[in-house]
Amino acid sequence: MNENWEEIVWRALRNECSSEELMKLQEWRNEAPENEQMYEDIKGIMGMGSFLKGMDSLHKENALENILKRTRQRSLGYSRILKYAAVLLLPLLLGGTLFYVLTFKRQAGEVLPVSEPKQILPGGPKAILYLSDGQVIDLNRIVDSVIVDKYSGQEIALSKDINALNYSGVTGDIGQSKELAYNRIEVPRGGEYMLVLSDGTKVWLNSETCLEYPLAFGEHSREVRLSGEAYFEVTKDEARCFNVIMEGATIEVMGTSFNASCYPGEGQCWAVLESGKINLRTDHGVAAVNVGECASYDIASGKVTVETVDLKYFTSWRYGTFYFYNTPLSEIVQKLGRWYDVHFKFADESLRDVCFSGAALRSKPIDFMLELLSSTQSLKFDIQSDGVIIIYKK
């Protein structure tokens, strides 16, 4: 089995692994000294969490040098720090563009480049649920722990503490005498949500995403419809393939973890595989996708491309992080706009193609993100009274 051990270690240290995964992780650590060294290196990086939470104080001098000094005192190799901490800590220099994540040197009395008529907070768990009986439920306002779909008579568990819907207790009886009953969940801009389908499959939904699915899957197949972006951990079932239907393409799965995206108007759908194996099926054929690969489908031309990618770029949102690598500003503000539920406008269109690399936690307010970007001394962000953010060249 081809496992992404680096990602599993991160999740284990955040208490997000199942007991089975933890057992496999311990076996892997015991297999070789370099495996244990990787675990300890990442654990050391996680120990800097308090520093990360304090990154709002952008006036720290020599922050990068300080953090590396503290790390070396823990006997971590500098090269390994670069490898494992890059996703959360270290900036990159690409094409002459600096994205400072840790080090900000300002002259005394310097005016901040962002005017803030109001504070724009990060997104959070929010969603609207459409039941098969016609009920429309705002999951942020409901106080009950059980939702009843009156058409099917089935009960759906709502876990308010973790903001998740759980269909695993729904039986398959509804498919015996009548057609499958479907629910739809819509996550707005500035939102995210998680649900467990009737077969135990876990789905994390990103902002501006819609998922349609049956309360209980049929006897021979498992199909859901996706518009937007979602991360899936699919329960293995050799008798029933799991299909994610998008615009013009279908992801065929048996049991695996992957990220899928197909936003309306973007012109393409894609799937990135983290574990297992999937196929991307279109009217033009079937493309096999292996771990660490991305299959993208151009809706207009029908062209399918499969290439090896950095998984973090596509899946970091699932773990609460923005991660950019040589990413155009136009794409960055698109992601920020969905998460913070704001709109950006370019006063200078040439800024769209300026590229940045770096990372930041999604839990930060938007002014923190804008200040990171404007620290290159080439950008200025102006938040208007209506919430629209104008991007200027300094």
Side-chain angles (χ1 to χ4, degrees):
M1 181 181 296
N2 192 353
E3 301 281 4
N4 183 351
W5 291 111
E6 182 181 340
E7 196 62 65
I8 290 175
V9 172
W10 280 108
R11 291 197 293 112
L13 294 172
R14 288 193 298 264
N15 298 317
E16 295 178 355
C17 282
S18 65
S19 56
E20 182 181 358
E21 286 178 313
L22 291 175
M23 289 178 61
K24 290 182 178 179
L25 176 61
Q26 187 60 54
E27 293 174 357
W28 173 79
R29 291 172 58 187
N30 296 336
E31 284 178 0
E34 55 267 27
N35 294 350
E36 178 65 18
Q37 186 63 64
M38 177 192 288
Y39 177 86
E40 291 298 329
D41 287 352
I42 298 177
K43 184 178 179 181
I45 297 302
M46 288 292 285
M48 302 173 192
S50 58
F51 181 86
L52 287 174
K53 293 176 183 176
M55 285 202 303
D56 295 290
S57 58
L58 302 181
H59 302 284
K60 268 188 178 289
E61 294 288 337
N62 303 318
L64 180 58
E65 289 81 358
N66 290 339
I67 196 70
L68 291 177
K69 180 179 179 181
R70 287 167 52 193
T71 304
R72 282 193 293 268
Q73 290 174 350
R74 297 175 183 232
S75 300
L76 296 180
Y78 180 77
S79 62
R80 295 198 303 273
I81 294 299
L82 291 176
K83 178 178 180 181
Y84 301 124
V87 65
L88 291 177
L89 298 173
L90 298 181
L92 300 170
L93 176 60
L94 291 171
T97 302
L98 282 172
F99 183 3
Y100 287 99
V101 177
L102 294 175
T103 306
F104 293 85
K105 295 183 178 179
R106 292 225 187 90
Q107 296 178 355
E110 181 179 349
V111 179
L112 293 179
V114 181
S115 59
E116 265 193 288
K118 63 178 181 179
Q119 187 178 30
I120 300 175
L121 299 176
K126 62 183 75 170
I128 303 295
L129 178 65
Y130 297 82
L131 299 179
S132 61
D133 62 8
Q135 292 185 74
V136 179
I137 299 174
D138 185 336
L139 297 177
N140 284 80
R141 296 185 178 182
I142 189 170
V143 295
D144 297 329
S145 59
V146 175
I147 300 172
V148 179
D149 188 303
K150 297 177 182 177
Y151 174 78
S152 63
Q154 296 287 337
E155 295 185 347
I156 306 159
L158 175 62
S159 301
K160 294 290 290 184
D161 55 336
I162 59 173
N163 296 291
L165 281 176
N166 192 338
Y167 288 77
S168 60
V170 174
T171 67
D173 295 340
I174 56 177
Q176 302 294 324
S177 57
K178 47 189 172 182
E179 295 181 357
L180 296 179
Y182 280 82
N183 283 185
R184 185 174 82 254
I185 185 170
E186 294 184 358
V187 179
R189 292 172 66 89
E192 63 180 358
Y193 217 80
M194 184 263 188
L195 69 155
V196 181
L197 300 177
S198 61
D199 65 338
T201 291
K202 297 177 182 178
V203 188
W204 288 263
L205 305 170
N206 207 348
S207 304
E208 214 169 15
T209 294
C210 175
L211 186 74
E212 186 176 6
Y213 51 93
L215 272 81
F217 290 112
E219 183 179 355
H220 303 293
S221 65
R222 298 178 291 169
E223 290 188 347
V224 300
R225 293 183 177 274
L226 173 68
S227 175
E229 183 173 21
Y231 181 93
F232 292 81
E233 287 185 0
V234 178
T235 299
K236 189 173 184 179
D237 185 343
E238 295 183 356
R240 298 182 299 175
C241 184
F242 190 99
N243 294 331
V244 180
I245 301 172
M246 305 181 292
E247 184 180 357
T250 298
I251 303 172
E252 299 175 335
V253 189
M254 290 306 295
T256 185
S257 300
F258 64 97
N259 199 80
S261 179
C262 192
Y263 279 106
E266 291 193 355
Q268 68 173 359
C269 302
W270 52 259
V272 174
L273 185 60
E274 194 166 54
S275 68
K277 192 169 185 178
I278 61 175
N279 294 326
L280 183 68
R281 181 180 295 274
T282 70
D283 292 338
H284 303 273
V286 179
V289 186
N290 297 312
V291 173
E293 291 182 340
C294 173
S296 58
Y297 168 66
D298 185 280
I299 296 174
S301 66
K303 182 180 180 181
V304 176
T305 303
V306 179
E307 58 184 348
T308 301
V309 296
D310 182 350
L311 290 175
K312 295 186 189 70
Y313 181 81
F314 297 90
T315 63
S316 62
W317 70 269
R318 153 75 178 88
Y319 305 105
T321 306
F322 286 113
Y323 178 73
F324 303 117
Y325 186 87
N326 204 20
T327 307
L329 183 60
S330 58
E331 186 175 329
I332 291 175
V333 298
Q334 183 181 56
K335 293 180 182 294
L336 296 180
R338 285 197 180 107
W339 180 236
Y340 293 98
D341 190 15
V342 295
H343 294 276
F344 290 84
K345 289 185 179 179
F346 285 89
D348 186 332
E349 290 296 315
S350 67
L351 295 176
R352 288 181 173 274
D353 298 324
V354 176
C355 293
F356 294 84
S357 293
L361 303 176
R362 278 163 57 104
S363 59
K364 296 295 181 183
I366 197 169
D367 61 321
F368 176 75
M369 297 297 304
L370 300 184
E371 199 157 7
L372 290 180
L373 294 168
S374 64
S375 67
T376 62
Q377 305 304 316
S378 62
L379 300 177
K380 178 181 178 181
F381 296 90
D382 188 9
I383 303 178
Q384 306 294 299
S385 59
D386 59 359
V388 174
I389 301 175
I390 310 296
I391 308 174
Y392 301 91
K393 180 184 292 184
K394 286 185 180 179

